[in-house]
Amino acid sequence: MKKDLMFLLCGTLAAGSALADNYVISTPNTSLVITANKKQKAYIQYYGSRISKDDINSLFDSRSVMWQDTYPTFGLHSSGEKALYVTHSDGTMSTDLCVQEVRQYKESNADLTEITLNDTVYPFTVKQYFKAYNGTDVISTWTEIINSGRKPVTLYKYVSGVIPVPRAENWMTHFNGGWGSEEQINEEYIGNNMKVIRNTDGVRNAHTSNPSLMITLNGKPQENTGSVIGATLAWSGNFKLKTSAGPNYLTLFAGIDEENAHYILDGGKSLVTPELILTYSNDGKGGVSRAIHKWARKYGVHNGEKPRDILLNSWEGVYFKVNQKGMAQMMEDIASLGGELFVMDDGWFGNKYPRNNGSTSLGDWEVCREKLPEGIDGLTAAAKKNHIKFGIWIEPEMSDVQSELYEKHPDWVLSQKNRQLITGRGNSQVILDLSNPAVQDFVYGAVDRLMTNNPEIAYIKWDANAGIMNYGSPYLPKNKQSHIYVEYHKGLTKTLQRIREKYPDLVIQACGAGGGRASYGVLPYYDEFWTSDNTDALQRIYIQWGTSMFYPAITMAAHVSANRNHQTGRTVPLKYRFDVAMSGRLGMEIQLRDMSDSDKEYARRAISAYKEVRDVVQLGDLYRLVSPYDNKGMASLMYTTENKDRAVVFVYKMTHFSGQSFARLHLDGVDVSKKYRIKDLTPRDPKRPASFDGKVISGAVLKAAGLDINSALNGEYASLALELTEVK
Ligand code: DGJ
């Protein structure tokens, strides 16, 4: 080694804690311990149940610390998984980060720990953040990567954070699917290999896999027991969640997927990576879900603590056949059932190219005068007349090659100079280049114009029916084409922030051809998401079950649709369809005109029942009781208020048989010291409710002995919705 370079390596701490600067970052029930001595590497030592500063020595003496570099970099110690790959301006491919400073401070809603890590040689810094959100068990982490030099550096990998998990029998729970089958649960043993969950759609990152997972510390994932870490990446674009197993611990690396996304940081510039949301629970998957849901309602979802309206969406009722008379009729119908909002879906716009199917008009956000001669005013007037609110569908990130927008601005679309465009839906759909500020203005303007001209609009359904194609930006320079995956989402976020500044009370639903946008990357700006285009009640139980692992009921739009179901052709009773949709944000998506009077009467009662328990479902704590994935022939879940004085229980029969019975249903969410009056919320015949109706049963019995639900589940597709109210 040359003499003058001798002291330019970052030090590594030997085992032992006496001289170490240790930081305990805590929430009410969890702690993360970091060792960060100046001029040394920083390490994550522990993440688990809450401990105090006084326990630090014991932690080291027990030798259970993990010594996981907080942000391992490539190039010196090159083997093993890394968080950061950088090529510096002189071609050097290594980075060596050393603690410069640790700051701890309070923000209005959280306690922050900020570790500044400087490269030992290059003017290059990583600020690493750990944020403990007040009143929740969530700690998040992310980084700011700063090039303080004058020349550009290239980032080839730049994860948000790493988290070590002690080796034992570790299992992973993750979520995969596709259109119509989102969020299917997969549970697998994490052996000595690597496991990778990633998404490369480019626009929507939750269809084929969700940026969320759980890892157990001690055996197979259980609903109510076992130690589990939950992690979800608050990013709307491509992601990679990767576990890499060592002998002592395995490490989760979570961040933006780096493939085809290397990022050039010019001199003086920085890149902030997305927040990785973490929680830890000793109460199994249920504990993780409740902790994440609580955080989400408070901090992760726009207006997450404000109960949502009951709506009718026009899509499955009329598809593209939108007109004034039909919309007015639908508004009258939903209002007569007690609904509170009507949402006109696709098909209302375009004049040169009226939108009659999925192959034209995206971008031409002008009312189609032929279909709606009275304009949006005519529709809001009809809503007003029926005392309900009005909402509208748009797909503002997209265009069609057959549209006035594309004819005027072909350069606003992602495309490649020397290649013909490939197209999506309707052989026509193309994607706007959101890295371009002019396009961001256009997207903002589309919403702003609608809202300025029609301030009565109370709700927007924001759809996105294509992933990135034609990976090329006419706006970005030649050497920064690989920024598209990142800049698209930075542009989207900026646009959404602008919209939110001006329209904080507008309800916006995130839709991505169904559940493609169930992700905390977008939820700070959206009130909810469309869970799936599959509205079949039976399949919805599986989809909503998986979705509920990380997303609270208030975000999960669930609609009662037609019989036969349009996606599966299945025939399911109306009560069952309601009982399934009522476990999320209830809505309807059906031509009400075609419903029988007795079904309408039933729907009216079910809607009114939902209003009674809406706050418990949408704001309550979720207890999953019997999983549909366990093949017990049924599924059941319940919500309780925080002090457990009220609860709602849903039970769904999944298979029909004779000569077999269901096990007793143990209501894990009740308070065993309380007594509850039980009410059958949605009996098909109000004169013949389930036998529990009106009974007062102790929490101790509901939990320990359980309910025998067999007599209440007669026939195929039987279901139950019970309300529990404390009796003092
Ligand atoms: C896909 C969405 O998921 C549907 O709900 C509907 O809005 C259609 N797009 C409209 O084109």
Side-chain angles (χ1 to χ4, degrees):
M1 188 187 283
K2 275 198 239 148
K3 208 167 168 221
D4 58 342
L5 290 181
M6 243 174 71
F7 300 107
L8 295 181
L9 282 181
C10 188
T12 46
L13 271 183
S17 71
L19 296 173
D21 287 334
N22 296 304
Y23 299 86
V24 184
I25 300 165
S26 289
T27 68
N29 298 296
T30 74
S31 292
L32 177 76
V33 176
I34 291 174
T35 301
N37 279 29
K38 242 186 155 173
K39 299 226 162 24
Q40 309 277 343
K41 296 252 165 243
Y43 303 93
I44 297 179
Q45 304 286 23
Y46 170 83
Y47 183 42
S49 296
R50 187 183 164 106
I51 58 170
S52 77
K53 252 207 134 125
D54 299 340
D55 293 315
I56 291 281
N57 279 335
S58 301
L59 194 65
F60 281 90
D61 291 344
S62 73
R63 304 190 66 86
S64 66
V65 283
M66 287 182 283
W67 295 105
Q68 165 68 59
D69 187 341
T70 59
Y71 208 60
T73 53
F74 177 79
L76 285 168
H77 299 283
S78 307
S79 69
E81 196 60 26
K82 305 295 177 197
L84 185 71
Y85 299 162
V86 185
T87 298
H88 295 278
S89 57
D90 63 359
T92 297
M93 287 178 69
S94 64
T95 299
D96 186 24
L97 295 176
C98 232
V99 175
Q100 165 72 25
E101 185 189 15
V102 180
R103 288 177 58 222
Q104 293 197 290
Y105 50 91
K106 283 194 185 305
E107 276 186 353
S108 61
N109 63 357
D111 293 340
L112 268 291
T113 301
E114 178 188 309
I115 306 175
T116 302
L117 300 158
N118 280 345
D119 188 89
T120 45
V121 173
Y122 291 92
F124 183 86
T125 298
V126 172
K127 285 195 178 183
Q128 193 166 22
Y129 295 88
F130 296 89
K131 180 171 181 175
Y133 282 89
N134 291 348
T136 75
D137 277 320
V138 162
I139 296 174
S140 73
T141 181
W142 73 96
T143 56
E144 185 182 359
I145 303 168
I146 305 160
N147 175 10
S148 334
R150 273 182 294 124
K151 295 194 180 144
V153 301
T154 307
L155 311 179
Y156 286 96
K157 186 177 183 186
Y158 38 93
V159 311
S160 290
V162 304
I163 196 84
V165 185
R167 283 305 296 272
E169 194 198 332
N170 306 105
W171 283 66
M172 183 191 283
T173 305
H174 61 104
F175 314 92
N176 305 79
W179 179 88
S181 63
E182 293 88 341
E183 301 258 11
Q184 304 295 310
I185 297 177
N186 294 276
E187 305 207 299
E188 51 195 276
Y189 175 68
I190 307 176
N192 285 325
N193 46 359
M194 291 184 179
K195 291 226 179 282
V196 178
I197 315 294
R198 64 194 282 254
N199 191 303
T200 57
D201 180 90
V203 174
R204 304 127 332 153
N205 68 1
H207 244 159
T208 52
S209 49
N210 194 279
S212 314
L213 54 73
M214 297 187 195
I215 299 174
T216 68
L217 276 71
N218 45 11
K220 262 192 146 172
Q222 308 291 341
E223 185 58 35
N224 296 319
T225 56
S227 307
V228 187
I229 289 173
T232 179
L233 189 72
W235 175 242
S236 49
N238 293 353
F239 65 82
K240 187 183 277 178
L241 310 175
K242 185 174 190 175
T243 56
S244 168
N248 184 20
Y249 52 86
L250 60 94
T251 306
L252 169 68
F253 292 77
I256 292 174
D257 185 72
E258 70 275 11
E259 251 175 57
N260 299 309
H262 57 271
Y263 199 91
I264 298 171
L265 260 191
D266 289 328
K269 296 280 181 211
S270 63
L271 177 73
V272 178
T273 60
E275 223 176 320
L276 172 64
I277 310 297
L278 296 164
T279 195
Y280 170 92
S281 173
N282 290 320
D283 297 327
K285 292 182 283 186
V288 164
S289 296
R290 286 186 290 279
I292 295 281
H293 292 176
K294 188 171 184 188
W295 165 83
R297 286 190 300 263
K298 255 175 138 59
Y299 303 110
V301 176
H302 184 72
N303 279 339
E305 292 181 315
K306 191 170 165 189
R308 311 298 197 231
D309 290 326
I310 299 165
L311 62 83
L312 173 69
N313 175 295
S314 67
W315 181 242
E316 286 198 22
V318 299
Y319 292 102
F320 292 101
K321 291 203 180 88
V322 164
N323 58 51
Q324 171 70 30
K325 194 166 160 239
M327 297 296 100
Q329 172 73 52
M330 286 184 120
M331 287 189 243
E332 202 182 315
D333 289 343
I334 188 63
S336 75
L337 300 185
E340 299 153 327
L341 165 71
F342 171 73
V343 180
M344 176 173 67
D345 210 281
D346 200 349
W348 60 269
F349 52 94
N351 282 300
K352 181 171 178 189
Y353 303 104
R355 173 83 164 173
N356 292 320
N357 52 49
S359 67
T360 67
S361 332
L362 294 176
D364 301 348
W365 304 115
E366 300 284 334
V367 160
C368 175
R369 286 185 295 274
E370 207 183 306
K371 295 186 187 184
L372 296 163
E374 296 167 44
I376 293 176
D377 284 350
L379 300 165
T380 51
K384 203 167 177 185
K385 191 171 136 210
N386 288 295
H387 308 288
I388 59 171
K389 298 178 194 163
F390 177 77
I392 196 165
W393 178 97
I394 48 171
E395 195 176 357
E397 296 154 74
M398 305 287 161
S399 188
D400 274 307
V401 288
Q402 267 208 70
S403 70
E404 291 186 71
L405 177 68
Y406 183 71
E407 284 167 359
K408 244 185 268 159
H409 296 288
D411 56 324
W412 279 8
V413 157
L414 289 176
S415 56
Q416 295 160 351
K417 225 182 6 210
N418 298 319
R419 291 192 193 280
Q420 202 185 321
L421 273 180
I422 59 160
T423 48
R425 187 182 190 190
N427 283 331
S428 168
Q429 187 155 338
V430 285
I431 296 116
L432 294 180
D433 179 5
L434 271 165
S435 70
N436 183 343
V439 174
Q440 294 164 22
D441 284 346
F442 169 79
V443 172
Y444 171 79
V447 174
D448 190 39
R449 217 174 7 264
L450 267 179
M451 294 304 298
T452 308
N453 295 339
N454 313 279
E456 300 85 359
I457 292 178
Y459 178 109
I460 281 182
K461 174 174 175 179
W462 180 306
D463 208 345
N465 288 297
I468 282 183
M469 297 171 278
N470 309 297
Y471 194 77
S473 160
Y475 172 77
L476 291 171
K478 205 162 63 185
N479 67 337
K480 290 187 178 159
Q481 291 293 305
S482 61
H483 290 204
I484 293 172
Y485 280 140
V486 171
E487 293 303 331
Y488 182 94
H489 290 278
K490 288 216 268 176
L492 174 65
T493 306
K494 247 192 235 165
T495 310
L496 289 165
Q497 280 165 348
R498 261 174 95 186
I499 292 170
R500 276 311 180 193
E501 257 162 49
K502 188 154 176 199
Y503 303 106
D505 297 326
L506 175 68
V507 178
I508 313 183
Q509 180 187 73
C511 176
R517 276 206 161 145
S519 149
Y520 289 112
V522 295
L523 281 170
Y525 314 105
Y526 293 86
D527 302 67
E528 60 174 32
F529 51 81
W530 181 221
T531 312
S532 176
D533 272 349
N534 188 343
T535 57
D536 174 307
L538 190 77
Q539 278 206 272
R540 264 298 180 117
I541 295 170
Y542 293 93
I543 294 170
Q544 292 176 190
W545 202 267
T547 306
S548 81
M549 292 283 160
F550 276 87
Y551 303 94
I554 197 164
T555 59
M556 212 192 292
H559 296 176
V560 172
S561 66
N563 210 23
R564 313 172 67 94
N565 179 268
H566 291 188
Q567 292 79 42
T568 60
R570 204 190 314 269
T571 305
V572 173
L574 186 60
K575 171 175 163 52
Y576 196 92
R577 283 177 276 147
F578 261 104
D579 286 348
V580 171
M582 281 171 70
S583 72
R585 193 281 283 134
L586 173 68
M588 299 189 82
E589 189 160 332
I590 188 169
Q591 181 51 275
L592 293 173
R593 208 177 47 201
D594 298 341
M595 262 168 84
S596 68
D597 285 347
S598 83
D599 274 2
K600 278 193 192 151
E601 180 48 38
Y602 179 79
R604 199 170 291 125
R605 277 192 280 115
I607 285 174
S608 144
Y610 185 75
K611 286 179 184 167
E612 270 177 48
V613 296
R614 161 168 38 197
D615 57 330
V616 185
V617 172
Q618 294 188 3
L619 307 172
D621 283 332
L622 169 67
Y623 289 81
R624 286 176 296 253
L625 305 177
V626 183
S627 169
Y629 288 85
D630 288 347
N631 295 322
K632 300 242 165 82
M634 61 168 281
S636 178
L637 67 155
M638 72 185 288
Y639 295 98
T640 69
T641 53
E642 203 165 0
N643 64 6
K644 301 197 176 203
D645 61 342
R646 291 166 67 212
V648 186
V649 179
F650 296 99
V651 186
Y652 311 116
K653 194 167 171 182
M654 316 281 297
T655 52
H656 188 50
F657 41 69
S658 70
Q660 273 176 272
S661 53
F662 296 116
R664 283 169 176 70
L665 182 66
H666 299 271
L667 304 189
D668 298 326
V670 294
D671 180 337
V672 291
S673 67
K674 292 188 182 352
K675 281 198 181 96
Y676 296 91
R677 171 160 293 111
I678 299 190
K679 178 177 173 186
D680 187 348
L681 271 174
T682 55
R684 180 70 224 201
D685 177 353
K687 292 199 204 88
R688 295 170 53 215
S691 63
F692 314 114
D693 188 69
K695 298 269 182 328
V696 175
I697 306 182
S698 69
V701 164
L702 290 170
K703 190 164 181 172
L707 285 177
D708 183 339
I709 46 167
N710 285 289
S711 62
L713 290 183
N714 267 326
E716 204 169 9
Y717 297 119
S719 60
L720 265 180
L722 302 175
E723 181 183 11
L724 273 56
T725 313
E726 184 186 358
V727 178
K728 294 228 167 131

